[in-house]
Amino acid sequence: MILTDIHSNWEALEAVAAAADGAYDEAICLGDVVGYGAAPREAVTWTRNNCRLVVRGNHDKAVCGLDAMEDFNIVAQAAVAWTRTQLSSEEILWLAGLDPGPLSHGEAEFAHGSPIDEDEYLVAAGDAEMVFENYDRPLCFVGHSHLQGGFCLAGGRVLRLPRPHAHQPEVLLPLEPDVCYLVNPGSVGQPRDGDPRAAYAIWDDEERQIRFRRVAYDTQRAARRILDAGLPPMLADRLAVGR
Ligand code: ZN
């Protein structure tokens, strides 16, 4: 199972863990365990106990002081400051010790933003094209954009990968030979593709296929905890719309 951008959303993470139970051998996290949401301790504890590999994200870096937060808006900065007050020094040290991507495991690599730059957003096909020009591994998993799917390079053309439609639980992507992939499992805790369901992916390295999955969770409960914590209300409001 590949998951990313959990962002301290325990309700979403719990739903993903339950839905994926029995469907995977190992979990790999592409970063941003914390930030935005109201459950940083639960997110850190689950990730430490369940993930074989964890790549660091920009919010993980910010919480432990390794990111100057130049790209952070005022809402993100407020969440970082609040998160610091919630974690033990030992948990902050764990975040500080996370490795930058890309990390290698089997056929694939794993990065937060892109395999070239850990803080880069891959949103448009042109962004992916620049990476494919400078990177020749067949498969890299990325997060950071909170957009499920990603891109492939097939016959010299960059194509967008599919994601489940609303109400569809999953989409199957068979990995073709001679095609390069930048695969985004989508965000667990703060999807931004208009689908409020938590996103993740199951990678079967033997069958060479990826299942992009979505699972509904209690967005109202996660939003209520954000408001109760005194975090900026927009962080609560966006969960119900997935933007
Ligand atoms: Zn993120």
Side-chain angles (χ1 to χ4, degrees), residues 10 49 51 107 131 138 169 179-180 238:
W10 173 246
N49 290 340
C51 292
E107 182 200 5
V131 174
V179 175
C180 292
R238 66 191 306 172

Side-chain angles (χ1 to χ4, degrees), residues 31-81:
D32 280 2
V33 178
V34 296
Y36 296 136
R41 295 200 90 152
E42 289 103 314
V44 165
T45 301
W46 189 93
T47 304
R48 291 178 80 168
N49 290 340
N50 292 282
C51 292
R52 181 196 168 108
L53 281 184
V54 184
V55 180
R56 74 179 184 188
N58 51 318
H59 287 255
D60 307 321
K61 280 193 290 181
V63 165
C64 51
L66 292 173
D67 188 302
M69 295 203 282
E70 281 155 2
D71 294 336
F72 280 60
N73 62 36
I74 211 149
V75 165
Q77 287 186 26
V80 166

